[in-house]
Structures are given as structure tokens and as C-alpha cells.
Amino acid sequence: MDLSIVVPIYNEEENIPELHRHIAEALDASGLDYEVVLVDDGSTDHSFSLLKEIAGKDPRVKVIRFRRNFGQTAAMAAGFDAARGEVVVPMDGDLQNDPADIPLLMARIREGYDVVSGWRKDRQDTFINRRLPSIIANSLISRMTGVHLHDYGCTLKAYRREVLEGINLYGEMHRFVPALASQVGARVTEMPVRHHPRLHGVSKYGISRTMRVVLDLMTVKFLLSYSTKPIQLFGKWGIYTLAASFLTGGATLYMKLFEHMSMNRNPLLILTGFLLFMGVQFIVLGLLGELNARTYYEAQAKPIYVIRERINVGDRGPGTGDR
Ligand code: UDP
Ligand code: MG
């Protein structure tokens, strides 16, 4: 099968019939062999019965229903796990993404890319609480992960399935998949896609999402740069703060011996104690992190590297670099 389309759905009853029609219209002409995986993320309206009806009529449609609302990331992860196509394309279920872009994304994948990220160049959302935070978030994410994309938040993207197999999603992390994929060596590019205003139903997010994105970005940055070597991050700061404490401690002593300034009246003494304490904490945190990293990788026989191909090397079972 060429393609799996994965759609997370949470209370989209007005959009579902049209969604299915749009997908079928856009893809039947393309000649692609495809399936649609619709994931009902615990909807409380009639979304599920509509999905069931569609699946009854169209055997290319698979439906997964969650017991409660687990969030868009979980819904997408469930869809990715069920997907059987060579290429997996997630898209929103609210008709804001346009299925007519899917064949174009597929064409870019065929050029040899592993990830093609949609870019809502002409985004149809309000400026102040949606587009502005998104511009800031995208430049921040690009700079911190080193994977430069204009629109991390666009759900419409295309992934070669084997790239997704090595990636586990937690929290709100679906938007970081291109950065995580690039970490395991995927070739990533982006492409402008269409975007439509939401006509039915309401957006499931508000401005509070910005905060969650920033927190997730910290996690992703840590995972990308230091998950196999936490002491390199914490130990570095530990050494800096210890060095600073020796400087302030030395200055306190110098003032006492040569300028007759009483040590216990000198605020630098408190700073010295504080920095010393912090430095030791950082280093201990780094060592604990190292222990944790070993548990994380070795308990699951996860390698710390990813192999693209092997020539004349036998497959030795677990720990072979196929994440
Ligand atoms: N969604 C979901 N679970 C949630 C929230 C959203 O499956 O907890 C789905 C929603 O039905 C839609 C997609 O995720 O298909 C994007 O949501 P929305 O359109 O509300 O986000 P926006 O486009 O406003 O960023
Ligand atoms: Mg939307």
C-alpha cells in the first residue's frame, strides 16, 4: 500500500461527512493505493457513529476509538501504529487542511525525502492569538533543534513510515516529529500547502498551547542533545558554578586579609556558599542522569545510534540499531 492518511478527530461531527468525500475526491484521481485511519479521540458528540457509518461503506477506512479524550498527539500516535502504507500523512479532521495537497507531498517523498512538512503559507487563523505565537514558536524551535521549518504546527505532513517507527510520542509532541526524525537521520524538507478557515465546530486549543509548546521544546532539546550524555550538560554548569564559588570565596578571603572586611558581614560569603551548593547539586544531578540514561537505553536494548544500511554484517537481533 502506498499511503495511509491519519486523521485525529475530537468532536468534529459537522466536518466528518465532507472530510471523507474530500479525501476520496482528491485521491481517487491520483491512482494511489491508500487507506484512511480515522482516530476518534473520545468525542462526546456523534462523531463516532458517523465514522462507523463511513467505515461500513468504504473498506479503505479504518476507525479507532479511544475510551476517553487522550489528546491530539495520542490520537496521531495510535493512527501511526495502525498505518500500513509506505508513506503516512496525518491531517486535521476539521477541513482546514486540503487533501488535494497529499499527492503533491507524495511527489516530494518520491524525490527521496523522508519527511515533507506542510507549510500553511497563507494561514487562515486569527493573527494575535494563533499566527503570532506560531511565528515566534517556529523560529525558536528551528533555532533550538537545528531543523529549520516555517510551520511546525501544521498537521499536514508526509512521513516515510520507517522513520515514524523509531519515534515515540509523549505529551504534546506531535509537532516535533520532523526534528526527532532528523535526529535519526531523516532527510527533511517543507512545502507550502493550502489552508482553509474552520467553517464548522470550534478549535480545541487556545493561547495556553504556547506554554505547552515551550515546555515540550525544552524536553525535545534535551533529548536531542543530551539524552545519552546528561553529565555533559549538568556537569558543565556544575563546574561553572563551582569555579564561580571559588572566585567569590577567594575575593571574600582577600577582602578579609588585605582590606580588613569582616567575612560574616560580606554578602559574597553567602553567594560563595550558594554557588558551592549549586555546583555540587548540578554535578550530582548529572551523575544521576547518567545512571538513568543507562537504565533507559540498556533496559530496552536501545542503541545510542541509528544504522541506515549494513553490508556483509549479520543481523544480531536486538540492539542492532533499528529503532
Ligand atoms: N483533536 C484531537 N484531540 C484533541 C484536540 C484536537 O483529536 O484533544 C483534533 C481535532 O479534532 C482536529 C485536530 O486535532 O482534527 C486539530 O485540532 P484543531 O482544529 O482544534 O486545532 P487548530 O487547527 O485550531 O490548531
Ligand atoms: Mg483546525
Side-chain angles (χ1 to χ4, degrees):
M1 189 183 297
D2 302 321
L3 169 67
S4 300
I5 300 169
V6 171
V7 191
I9 290 184
Y10 182 48
N11 294 344
E12 304 284 1
E13 57 184 0
E14 298 105 320
N15 294 314
I16 291 168
E18 225 175 313
L19 173 73
H20 178 241
R21 194 151 35 79
H22 279 194
I23 292 176
E25 274 167 16
L27 287 167
D28 288 347
S30 71
L32 292 164
D33 179 17
Y34 73 96
E35 64 175 0
V36 185
V37 184
L38 302 168
V39 185
D40 174 15
D41 183 13
S43 296
T44 50
D45 63 0
H46 297 105
S47 292
F48 180 70
S49 51
L50 293 170
L51 296 180
K52 207 167 151 186
E53 198 185 311
I54 291 172
K57 280 189 281 189
D58 185 346
R60 290 171 305 186
V61 173
K62 298 179 179 176
V63 176
I64 294 170
R65 183 189 197 183
F66 281 176
R67 282 195 186 273
R68 65 165 171 84
N69 178 239
F70 282 91
Q72 189 183 346
T73 298
M76 287 169 67
F80 292 163
D81 290 341
R84 287 293 156 262
E86 271 168 50
V87 176
V88 180
V89 173
M91 66 179 271
D92 281 346
D94 57 359
L95 307 173
Q96 290 199 267
N97 295 137
D98 196 326
D101 286 317
I102 295 175
L104 306 175
L105 292 167
M106 287 295 281
R108 295 305 296 275
I109 291 272
R110 294 213 164 118
E111 284 171 25
Y113 291 103
D114 300 305
V115 177
V116 183
S117 178
W119 167 19
R120 296 164 292 181
K121 211 168 178 174
D122 183 22
R123 187 169 167 187
Q124 304 292 323
D125 282 318
T126 51
F127 182 77
I128 197 76
N129 65 347
R130 306 308 291 272
R131 275 163 38 220
L132 182 65
S134 147
I135 291 168
I136 298 170
N138 282 310
S139 76
L140 206 65
I141 299 172
S142 295
R143 200 151 356 123
M144 288 189 64
T145 62
V147 181
H148 293 266
L149 297 178
H150 286 91
D151 194 0
Y152 269 92
C154 180
T155 308
L156 185 64
K157 297 182 194 299
Y159 304 105
R160 229 179 262 281
R161 201 184 67 224
E162 67 253 27
V163 168
L164 289 176
E165 275 165 6
I167 295 175
N168 296 321
L169 298 177
Y170 296 90
E172 300 277 314
M173 260 172 215
H174 63 268
R175 74 186 58 244
F176 293 104
V177 175
L180 297 168
S182 152
Q183 155 88 348
V184 294
R187 281 154 294 194
V188 181
T189 187
E190 68 179 350
M191 192 190 100
V193 294
R194 281 158 271 209
H195 194 241
H196 305 294
R198 197 188 240 281
L199 297 178
H200 311 287
V202 288
S203 171
K204 310 301 179 292
Y205 300 103
I207 188 82
S208 69
R209 178 159 67 184
T210 314
M211 172 93 125
R212 286 184 273 162
V213 170
V214 169
L215 292 173
D216 276 347
L217 174 60
M218 279 165 47
T219 312
V220 168
K221 172 70 188 167
F222 180 73
L223 289 178
L224 291 183
S225 307
Y226 298 107
S227 66
T228 60
K229 44 181 190 231
I231 191 79
Q232 300 295 334
L233 176 66
F234 294 111
K236 185 174 74 186
W237 286 102
I239 288 173
Y240 288 163
T241 39
L242 282 182
S245 85
F246 286 131
L247 282 181
T248 53
T252 320
L253 263 183
Y254 178 89
M255 289 178 193
K256 155 115 186 130
L257 296 177
F258 301 105
E259 292 173 4
H260 307 293
M261 167 132 178
S262 151
M263 271 176 92
N264 55 14
R265 293 229 181 144
N266 193 339
L268 278 184
L269 186 66
I270 296 176
L271 187 62
T272 305
F274 183 68
L275 288 172
L276 195 71
F277 185 69
M278 249 173 61
V280 172
Q281 290 280 311
F282 268 134
I283 289 173
V284 170
L285 212 57
L287 291 173
L288 285 177
E290 289 286 325
L291 269 186
N292 256 328
R294 279 157 184 69
T295 315
Y296 176 77
Y297 286 97
E298 289 168 24
Q300 308 176 59
K302 255 183 198 292
I304 57 167
Y305 51 82
V306 199
I307 292 172
R308 192 190 297 278
E309 279 174 58
R310 288 185 203 79
I311 294 172
N312 291 345
V313 180
D315 186 341
R316 297 180 50 232
T320 47
D322 304 315
R323 283 208 252 176

